[in-house]
Amino acid sequence: MAPQYAPSLWAALPLLAFLLETLLILLFTFCIQYEQWEVKESSFTDIYAELQDVSVMVFFGFGFLAAFLTRYSFSSLGFNLLVASFAVQWAVLMNGLLFSISNGKISVSMRSLTEAQMFAVSGLISMGAVLGKTNPIHLLLLALLEVTGFVANTWILRTYLKVPAVDSIMMLHIFGAFFGLMTSWALRREGLEPRHSKEKVHRKTGLFSMMGALFLWMFWPSFNSVLIDHTLHAKKLSVIGNTYLSLAASAVSAFVFSALTSPRGKMNVVHIQSSMLAGGVAMGVPMSASCTPWVAVTIGLLAGLLSTLGFRYFKPYLQVNFGCHDTCSILSVHGLPGILGWMAYMLIEVSHSDDLSKSLRFTLYLMCTLITTLGVSLGLGAITGVLLKWRGWRPPQDRKCFDDQAFWEFPHLAVHK
Amino acid sequence: MAPQYAPSLWAALPLLAFLLETLLILLFTFCIQYEQWEVKESSFTDIYAELQDVSVMVFFGFGFLAAFLTRYSFSSLGFNLLVASFAVQWAVLMNGLLFSISNGKISVSMRSLTEAQMFAVSGLISMGAVLGKTNPIHLLLLALLEVTGFVANTWILRTYLKVPAVDSIMMLHIFGAFFGLMTSWALRREGLEPRHSKEKVHRKTGLFSMMGALFLWMFWPSFNSVLIDHTLHAKKLSVIGNTYLSLAASAVSAFVFSALTSPRGKMNVVHIQSSMLAGGVAMGVPMSASCTPWVAVTIGLLAGLLSTLGFRYFKPYLQVNFGCHDTCSILSVHGLPGILGWMAYMLIEVSHSDDLSKSLRFTLYLMCTLITTLGVSLGLGAITGVLLKWRGWRPPQDRKCFDDQAFWEFPHLAVHK
Amino acid sequence: MAPQYAPSLWAALPLLAFLLETLLILLFTFCIQYEQWEVKESSFTDIYAELQDVSVMVFFGFGFLAAFLTRYSFSSLGFNLLVASFAVQWAVLMNGLLFSISNGKISVSMRSLTEAQMFAVSGLISMGAVLGKTNPIHLLLLALLEVTGFVANTWILRTYLKVPAVDSIMMLHIFGAFFGLMTSWALRREGLEPRHSKEKVHRKTGLFSMMGALFLWMFWPSFNSVLIDHTLHAKKLSVIGNTYLSLAASAVSAFVFSALTSPRGKMNVVHIQSSMLAGGVAMGVPMSASCTPWVAVTIGLLAGLLSTLGFRYFKPYLQVNFGCHDTCSILSVHGLPGILGWMAYMLIEVSHSDDLSKSLRFTLYLMCTLITTLGVSLGLGAITGVLLKWRGWRPPQDRKCFDDQAFWEFPHLAVHK
């Protein structure tokens, strides 16, 4: 009854992408210009070097991170590139419209490109939950809705709660993770067996995704520190140092707990590559707090622990009990470590303060930040999921999930070389 | 009749490479010294960081870009390294001899190393057309002749047409592509079937070449902007921003038109990885023009379109009708987008100008630049092709084309793992 | 009699790693703080960009360099990450304790993190000799002892021989290589056949290790120049330029001599990827000498020659005659080129000097530096080897050497996909 081949996207995908890109060109024509650059020299270079680091993370790191799926690595990598290219252009517009428009014109600068890449990351995180069970049309729509929602969320946080810009952007891990989980839950397929036969790691694709993970891991200090002004050297040093130490600790922690929770003490490569990043996530959220090296190492250790346990126990639990399948386990990599970072932020600030009422006010403020972010992300994630459920978007059949064959021309790859 | 094994390069390759390297050492002894550095500090670092970006593109990006050939990835990568190492040393000398010699001494600086790497790129582009059908001796000779020719071409452009240094170097895409095509045409083999059985992409080698392509794509803004002086911040920002946006658009465009020109709407990984770079090429040529963001996005979109169509239709056409086989499709990746960029340069300048006679003069000037470059590249390419046709260079037999076995020690790889 | 499976590390590895990390947190709590940053702006950024380059070398470059072993690439990559994460944290402490403690507090800065990474490299080099025949417990202990020993060696050199800090750190190649060789000799296994059936390179893992090697090769100029103060521009330019040229020459040299020493003129991918790095090692040791471009190219050429010959002839000789098995051939990649660099240092300084007694004093001083380094490394290497010989560390059986199966969860990889 079901067709033998995955539904063709021949007309739909090119048409949608071309229309979107044309729309972007039109909007760019009317309201984008380059900033007239007048700040002093060295600051320019600083920003460019770190923009490049973030660029490597967005297009290379996230692309290869998800390439572990044995028959889906081209799609993971390619769709990440397609979606990120769109999301960055879209985020330049959205971010500019809400925060930096003057005389009807949005100024593009190194900083606005960097921020746009970070907004795009929130979309790429959400994508990780539904990867393999969707087609590129779903992913494009999801990313555009998600980026719009996340920019709106930072606007709410900055306008009503007076959250500093940097702190509001750092909620991207929590926002992206819960948005993606909700969408994945709304898109759940009854027919998909709990463990899809193609949803596994292969020896060689594992090395590719380890490569992507390593580039994310190495450049994460830039990701957390790039939005700090270059005149604040001590702050910048401490964020870079803390992220570095936290990442080192979470890598160790991923090895420790992956081996400990395995019956024969063997490590799992997908746990390691994902959980080693948890330290960076968990240090990103409280980056405005002043934090000593040992605290950073401790946060990294706990983040790695939480993430590995999430991978081993929480991911299957969610799937079996709620039907919420999370391909790249974004809950363990971004969601839980993000909330850990949020708690660390609260604890650090409260422990530094002598004034009880101030501590209470700060706790309340952080609570509101988290609840707003969770509310907006869960709500919009559910709406996005419902929108994407329409059969007209031509989702791949259950049998064709996690398979490059549905989207890529590989006539000679039908048989394993 | 034909020998069973590819001809051994035992004596020839080491001897040639050793003699060339010794010659380089001798020339270096007499005429190379380091620049006595006196400019101010920050500019030094700026240049070093961007030199590194270009370095990654030259040695890593171009090396892995051509690694998609299923049985030829070691050769693609290794010969790229060998040829690039030579070509950079040679270009330091050639570039110095023509442009920066004083008192019989050539000064080496960060900038001259960067320019030497860009000259080497023109040789690596040409190499892409003949890859797989040649041996490393051919490639070395081709690269040295090509770099010499390209330096001579920039000298002609700068001396007789008063082309600015930066603009003359940016002709490297057009020069490299047409030089390589001509050489490939001169070296055409009647016996090679139109579609060689080993000339195909494999699932894993496709991921490697996607990796190389991504590094080229991510660092292309540095490639286009590195030669701009660091005091011109506004110019540098606009070139970086334009290249970034143009690349994003050409990535989208590559997906759109690769899917649209496929019968079942499937994408082709070799098209994507190559055509996504077209936006960078097309923004490189008109980098001296002042260009707004929407123009950059439009150029990127058109470059991706042109490049994908070139891949799908023009490459087989050239091969069937002219016997000109273009392994890495350099015409689609560098040649056509380069000419598109040249046309964009003309249109932008003409549209900005109110003065008709000035516009006409500028058009004439650009025409001369293009015609000179095409003339020199096609002429020298043909001569190089004829020189390399000599059987004494021991070309691999038709059956041994596109095969690592001819050049690499893999006793245990005779059978597939 | 022997068990069928490799001994489980279930309790031992997590326990050891967790205890070590907890110990580090405790020590960090009491004696680590961030430097109060007061130097001027641009210098901060310079250091960060180069710290990142070294970071890529340590975690990515060394990790993938050793990934060529066909069934051991996950272990090579993963254990490199685990060991490097520990070694860097440990080196921050050790280096701080001996050189930058004040009021009982160690200040962490960009520079101290960079130095810590370089100390960690000496441990990663030693690891290369015993890789595949050990488990992660061995590797962790080896790295901690090696880093401690190397920090002690730099302390001896700096205190008793007045060696400048930079020069003492650059002995890391010689120290690491001989330490590792000695440990590998002490751990020799009678039962291991000279050529283990799993100790070979595979087509795809070869590409991965080529990738790691390329990143090391491209960023080596940063490795050699990062410790030079940023106000010394001419010095920094010459070290970067010399390393760049030396690396280019040693890449050429690796191709030449790999082909020349092969019966049919074929190149060997493991030789190329390792020997192309020899030029960087050999230019690192004499980086304090003032060295013209042609000398750098000559040193690179000789380093590539020495390294390729070491690979082809010296590695099997050592193994057959002394039972000293050197998995990654660290003697050829770091040991011999390091000593070549040391000799070049002596020759350059002597040839520049007119004063015979000064030359003699300098030669004597360099002799003492080398002898001290060799003595400490060989002595500590032997002690480490004896400590690691204890059966309680649960070494893998001979049959399980060079096999990921012993350490990684790959149920579905038991058969080749």
Side-chain angles (χ1 to χ4, degrees):
Chain A
M1 181 105 174
Q4 197 177 349
Y5 298 106
S8 165
L9 303 176
W10 179 74
L13 175 65
L15 195 69
L16 175 75
F18 189 75
L19 284 181
L20 282 174
E21 190 65 45
T22 315
L23 178 72
L24 279 171
I25 292 181
L26 281 178
L27 293 171
F28 272 44
T29 314
F30 292 113
C31 60
I32 299 268
Q33 65 185 13
Y34 287 112
E35 191 175 69
Q36 295 310 307
W37 200 265
E38 288 178 24
V39 296
K40 62 192 190 313
E41 185 173 337
S42 69
S43 133
F44 175 82
T45 324
D46 294 358
I47 298 175
Y48 179 54
E50 293 174 23
L51 169 71
Q52 285 289 39
D53 285 0
V54 177
S55 203
V56 171
M57 293 175 73
V58 171
F59 295 101
F60 188 89
F62 278 100
F64 273 104
L65 184 65
F68 64 89
L69 291 162
T70 179
R71 294 194 162 277
Y72 204 65
S73 31
F74 277 107
S75 303
S76 305
L77 186 59
F79 299 162
N80 181 77
L81 175 67
L82 177 66
V83 168
S85 295
F86 260 116
V88 170
Q89 296 177 67
W90 185 246
V92 166
L93 270 175
M94 285 296 109
N95 189 25
L97 279 177
L98 286 182
F99 300 113
S100 68
I101 200 161
S102 70
N103 300 326
K105 287 282 186 186
I106 295 165
S107 282
V108 173
S109 63
M110 287 290 134
R111 189 184 167 95
S112 75
L113 282 176
T114 310
E115 286 185 3
Q117 289 191 335
M118 300 180 87
F119 287 127
V121 165
S122 72
L124 299 179
I125 292 171
S126 302
M127 210 176 104
V130 298
L131 202 73
K133 302 162 288 178
T134 45
N135 66 30
I137 298 177
H138 289 118
L139 298 177
L140 267 181
L141 296 173
L142 175 136
L144 297 185
L145 290 168
E146 208 279 353
V147 167
T148 315
F150 181 56
V151 175
N153 187 60
T154 58
W155 185 81
I156 295 171
L157 293 183
R158 284 159 74 170
T159 312
Y160 296 108
L161 291 168
K162 310 289 174 214
V163 178
V166 172
D167 282 15
S168 71
I169 291 176
M170 279 300 158
M171 297 306 276
L172 68 92
H173 300 290
I174 297 175
F175 191 95
F178 287 95
F179 186 103
L181 279 178
M182 206 63 193
T183 310
S184 184
W185 176 76
L187 288 175
R188 69 192 175 283
R189 294 156 174 253
E190 306 299 336
L192 207 67
E193 64 262 55
R195 181 78 184 162
H196 195 284
S197 63
K198 288 170 190 162
E199 194 195 354
K200 58 183 182 189
V201 68
H202 180 259
R203 194 181 273 271
K204 293 305 174 304
T205 52
L207 282 176
F208 280 109
S209 71
M210 197 73 190
M211 184 176 77
L214 268 173
F215 267 100
L216 286 172
W217 193 84
M218 294 182 299
F219 288 167
W220 213 289
S222 299
F223 190 83
N224 282 353
S225 70
V226 64
L227 295 179
I228 299 170
D229 197 88
H230 280 79
T231 50
L232 308 169
H233 300 132
K235 181 73 201 154
K236 206 148 180 125
L237 171 66
S238 81
V239 170
I240 289 173
N242 281 332
T243 309
Y244 187 94
L245 292 171
S246 176
L247 285 163
S250 70
V252 170
S253 181
F255 278 93
V256 166
F257 295 105
S258 180
L260 200 65
T261 56
S262 150
R264 291 191 50 79
K266 293 188 177 188
M267 287 155 281
N268 185 303
V269 72
V270 182
H271 297 178
I272 304 267
Q273 69 165 28
S274 307
S275 300
M276 75 193 210
L277 302 174
V281 173
M283 270 316 298
V285 180
M287 55 163 281
S288 298
S290 67
C291 175
T292 46
W294 78 268
V295 176
V297 179
T298 311
I299 291 177
L301 196 70
L302 293 176
L305 163 63
L306 195 64
S307 176
T308 316
L309 297 183
F311 236 112
R312 191 76 84 171
Y313 304 114
F314 211 58
K315 183 184 163 172
Y317 176 85
L318 265 187
Q319 190 176 354
V320 171
N321 291 280
F322 297 92
C324 176
H325 180 265
D326 181 2
T327 310
C328 297
S329 205
I330 58 169
L331 181 68
S332 309
V333 183
H334 297 275
L336 299 179
I339 289 181
L340 175 76
W342 174 86
M343 284 171 62
Y345 194 1
M346 194 158 72
L347 287 175
I348 293 168
E349 290 294 324
V350 168
S351 72
H352 283 186
S353 160
D354 304 327
D355 183 349
L356 187 66
S357 79
K358 215 172 140 193
S359 294
L360 277 176
R361 271 207 310 279
F362 186 79
T363 308
L364 195 69
Y365 152 84
L366 268 192
M367 286 284 202
C368 293
T369 310
L370 182 67
I371 290 167
T372 310
T373 305
L374 283 178
V376 176
S377 66
L378 290 171
L380 287 180
I383 295 172
T384 304
V386 170
L387 286 177
L388 296 185
K389 243 189 137 57
W390 183 43
R391 302 298 300 173
W393 304 123
R394 306 187 164 207
Q397 305 97 309
D398 289 349
R399 277 183 313 114
K400 297 286 173 189
C401 285
F402 307 108
D403 199 333
D404 279 338
Q405 285 274 333
F407 305 113
W408 298 87
E409 272 183 354
F410 285 135
H412 49 283
L413 290 183
V415 289
H416 180 64
K417 161 67 190 317
Chain B
M1 181 104 176
Q4 197 176 352
Y5 297 106
S8 164
L9 303 175
W10 179 74
L13 175 65
L15 194 70
L16 175 74
F18 189 75
L19 284 181
L20 283 173
E21 190 64 46
T22 315
L23 177 71
L24 279 170
I25 292 180
L26 280 178
L27 293 171
F28 272 44
T29 314
F30 291 113
C31 60
I32 300 266
Q33 65 185 13
Y34 288 111
E35 190 174 71
Q36 294 311 307
W37 201 264
E38 287 178 25
V39 297
K40 63 190 188 314
E41 185 172 338
S42 68
S43 133
F44 175 82
T45 324
D46 294 359
I47 298 175
Y48 180 53
E50 295 174 21
L51 169 70
Q52 285 288 40
D53 285 0
V54 177
S55 203
V56 170
M57 293 174 73
V58 171
F59 295 102
F60 188 89
F62 278 101
F64 274 104
L65 184 64
F68 64 89
L69 292 163
T70 179
R71 292 194 163 279
Y72 204 65
S73 30
F74 276 108
S75 303
S76 305
L77 187 57
F79 299 161
N80 181 76
L81 175 66
L82 176 67
V83 168
S85 296
F86 259 117
V88 170
Q89 296 177 67
W90 184 247
V92 165
L93 269 176
M94 285 296 109
N95 189 25
L97 279 178
L98 285 182
F99 301 112
S100 69
I101 201 161
S102 69
N103 300 326
K105 287 283 186 185
I106 296 166
S107 282
V108 174
S109 64
M110 287 289 134
R111 189 184 166 95
S112 74
L113 283 177
T114 310
E115 287 185 2
Q117 288 190 336
M118 300 180 87
F119 287 127
V121 165
S122 71
L124 300 179
I125 292 170
S126 303
M127 210 176 103
V130 297
L131 202 73
K133 303 162 288 178
T134 44
N135 68 28
I137 298 177
H138 291 117
L139 298 176
L140 267 182
L141 295 175
L142 177 136
L144 296 186
L145 289 168
E146 208 278 354
V147 167
T148 314
F150 182 55
V151 175
N153 187 59
T154 58
W155 185 82
I156 295 170
L157 294 182
R158 284 159 75 170
T159 310
Y160 295 108
L161 291 167
K162 310 290 173 214
V163 178
V166 172
D167 283 14
S168 70
I169 292 176
M170 279 301 158
M171 298 306 276
L172 68 92
H173 300 291
I174 296 175
F175 191 95
F178 287 95
F179 186 103
L181 279 179
M182 206 64 192
T183 310
S184 184
W185 177 75
L187 288 175
R188 69 193 175 283
R189 295 157 175 252
E190 306 299 336
L192 206 67
E193 64 261 55
R195 181 80 184 159
H196 194 284
S197 64
K198 288 169 187 162
E199 194 195 354
K200 58 184 183 187
V201 66
H202 181 256
R203 196 181 271 273
K204 293 308 175 303
T205 52
L207 282 175
F208 279 109
S209 71
M210 196 73 189
M211 186 176 78
L214 268 172
F215 268 99
L216 285 173
W217 192 84
M218 293 182 300
F219 289 166
W220 212 289
S222 299
F223 190 83
N224 282 353
S225 70
V226 65
L227 295 179
I228 299 170
D229 197 89
H230 280 80
T231 50
L232 308 170
H233 299 132
K235 182 72 201 156
K236 207 150 178 123
L237 170 67
S238 80
V239 170
I240 289 173
N242 282 332
T243 308
Y244 187 94
L245 292 172
S246 176
L247 285 164
S250 69
V252 169
S253 182
F255 278 93
V256 166
F257 295 105
S258 181
L260 201 64
T261 56
S262 150
R264 290 191 52 79
K266 292 189 177 187
M267 286 154 283
N268 185 304
V269 73
V270 181
H271 297 178
I272 304 266
Q273 68 166 27
S274 307
S275 301
M276 74 193 211
L277 302 174
V281 173
M283 271 316 298
V285 179
M287 55 162 282
S288 296
S290 68
C291 173
T292 47
W294 77 268
V295 175
V297 178
T298 310
I299 290 176
L301 196 70
L302 293 176
L305 163 62
L306 196 64
S307 175
T308 317
L309 297 184
F311 235 114
R312 192 75 84 174
Y313 304 115
F314 211 58
K315 182 183 163 173
Y317 177 83
L318 264 187
Q319 190 176 354
V320 171
N321 291 282
F322 297 91
C324 176
H325 180 266
D326 180 4
T327 311
C328 297
S329 205
I330 57 170
L331 181 68
S332 309
V333 183
H334 297 274
L336 299 178
I339 289 181
L340 176 75
W342 175 86
M343 284 171 62
Y345 195 0
M346 195 159 69
L347 287 175
I348 293 168
E349 290 295 323
V350 169
S351 73
H352 283 188
S353 160
D354 304 326
D355 183 350
L356 187 67
S357 78
K358 215 171 139 193
S359 295
L360 278 175
R361 270 205 312 278
F362 185 78
T363 309
L364 193 70
Y365 153 83
L366 268 191
M367 286 285 200
C368 293
T369 310
L370 182 66
I371 289 167
T372 310
T373 304
L374 283 179
V376 177
S377 66
L378 289 172
L380 287 181
I383 294 171
T384 304
V386 171
L387 285 178
L388 296 185
K389 241 188 140 56
W390 183 44
R391 302 298 301 173
W393 303 123
R394 305 185 165 211
Q397 306 96 309
D398 290 349
R399 276 182 314 113
K400 296 287 173 188
C401 284
F402 307 108
D403 200 333
D404 280 338
Q405 286 274 333
F407 305 113
W408 298 86
E409 273 183 353
F410 285 135
H412 49 282
L413 289 183
V415 290
H416 180 64
K417 162 72 187 307
Chain C
M1 182 111 171
Q4 197 177 351
Y5 297 106
S8 164
L9 302 175
W10 179 74
L13 175 65
L15 194 69
L16 174 75
F18 189 75
L19 284 181
L20 282 173
E21 189 65 44
T22 315
L23 177 72
L24 279 170
I25 292 180
L26 281 179
L27 293 171
F28 272 44
T29 314
F30 292 113
C31 60
I32 299 267
Q33 66 185 11
Y34 287 112
E35 190 175 70
Q36 296 310 307
W37 200 265
E38 286 178 26
V39 297
K40 64 193 189 312
E41 185 172 337
S42 68
S43 133
F44 174 81
T45 325
D46 294 359
I47 298 174
Y48 179 53
E50 294 174 21
L51 169 70
Q52 285 288 41
D53 285 0
V54 177
S55 203
V56 171
M57 293 175 73
V58 171
F59 295 102
F60 188 89
F62 278 100
F64 274 104
L65 184 64
F68 64 88
L69 292 162
T70 179
R71 293 193 163 278
Y72 204 65
S73 32
F74 276 108
S75 302
S76 305
L77 187 58
F79 299 162
N80 181 77
L81 175 67
L82 177 66
V83 168
S85 296
F86 259 116
V88 169
Q89 296 177 68
W90 184 246
V92 165
L93 270 175
M94 284 297 108
N95 188 26
L97 279 178
L98 286 182
F99 300 112
S100 68
I101 200 162
S102 70
N103 301 325
K105 287 282 187 186
I106 294 166
S107 283
V108 174
S109 64
M110 287 290 134
R111 188 183 168 95
S112 74
L113 283 177
T114 310
E115 287 184 1
Q117 289 190 337
M118 299 179 89
F119 287 127
V121 166
S122 71
L124 300 179
I125 292 170
S126 303
M127 209 176 106
V130 298
L131 201 74
K133 302 162 288 178
T134 44
N135 68 28
I137 298 177
H138 290 117
L139 297 177
L140 267 181
L141 295 175
L142 175 136
L144 297 185
L145 290 168
E146 207 280 354
V147 167
T148 314
F150 181 56
V151 176
N153 186 61
T154 58
W155 185 83
I156 294 171
L157 293 183
R158 283 160 75 169
T159 312
Y160 295 108
L161 291 167
K162 310 290 174 213
V163 178
V166 172
D167 283 14
S168 71
I169 292 175
M170 279 300 158
M171 298 305 278
L172 68 93
H173 299 290
I174 296 175
F175 191 95
F178 287 94
F179 187 103
L181 278 179
M182 206 62 193
T183 311
S184 184
W185 177 75
L187 287 175
R188 69 191 176 283
R189 293 155 175 256
E190 306 300 336
L192 208 66
E193 63 260 56
R195 181 80 185 161
H196 195 283
S197 63
K198 287 168 189 164
E199 193 195 354
K200 59 183 181 188
V201 67
H202 180 258
R203 196 182 271 271
K204 293 306 174 304
T205 52
L207 283 176
F208 279 109
S209 71
M210 197 72 189
M211 185 176 77
L214 268 172
F215 267 100
L216 286 173
W217 192 84
M218 293 183 299
F219 289 166
W220 213 290
S222 299
F223 190 83
N224 282 353
S225 70
V226 65
L227 295 179
I228 298 170
D229 197 88
H230 280 78
T231 51
L232 308 170
H233 299 132
K235 180 76 201 150
K236 212 156 176 117
L237 171 67
S238 80
V239 171
I240 289 174
N242 282 332
T243 309
Y244 187 95
L245 292 172
S246 176
L247 285 164
S250 70
V252 170
S253 181
F255 277 94
V256 166
F257 295 105
S258 181
L260 201 64
T261 55
S262 151
R264 289 191 50 81
K266 291 187 176 188
M267 287 154 282
N268 185 304
V269 73
V270 182
H271 296 178
I272 304 267
Q273 68 165 28
S274 307
S275 300
M276 74 194 210
L277 302 174
V281 173
M283 269 317 297
V285 180
M287 55 164 280
S288 296
S290 69
C291 174
T292 47
W294 77 268
V295 175
V297 178
T298 310
I299 290 177
L301 196 71
L302 293 176
L305 163 64
L306 196 64
S307 176
T308 316
L309 297 184
F311 235 113
R312 191 76 82 172
Y313 304 114
F314 211 57
K315 184 183 162 173
Y317 177 85
L318 265 186
Q319 189 175 355
V320 171
N321 291 281
F322 297 92
C324 175
H325 180 266
D326 180 3
T327 310
C328 297
S329 203
I330 57 170
L331 180 68
S332 310
V333 183
H334 297 275
L336 299 179
I339 289 181
L340 176 74
W342 174 86
M343 283 172 61
Y345 195 2
M346 196 159 69
L347 286 175
I348 293 167
E349 289 294 323
V350 168
S351 72
H352 283 188
S353 160
D354 303 327
D355 182 350
L356 187 67
S357 79
K358 214 170 142 194
S359 294
L360 278 175
R361 271 206 311 279
F362 185 78
T363 309
L364 193 69
Y365 152 84
L366 269 191
M367 286 282 200
C368 293
T369 311
L370 182 67
I371 290 167
T372 310
T373 305
L374 283 178
V376 177
S377 67
L378 289 171
L380 287 180
I383 294 171
T384 305
V386 170
L387 285 177
L388 295 185
K389 242 189 137 58
W390 184 43
R391 303 298 301 172
W393 303 121
R394 305 186 165 209
Q397 307 96 308
D398 289 349
R399 277 184 312 114
K400 296 285 173 188
C401 284
F402 306 108
D403 200 332
D404 280 338
Q405 286 274 333
F407 305 113
W408 298 86
E409 274 183 351
F410 285 136
H412 49 282
L413 290 182
V415 289
H416 179 64
K417 160 66 191 319

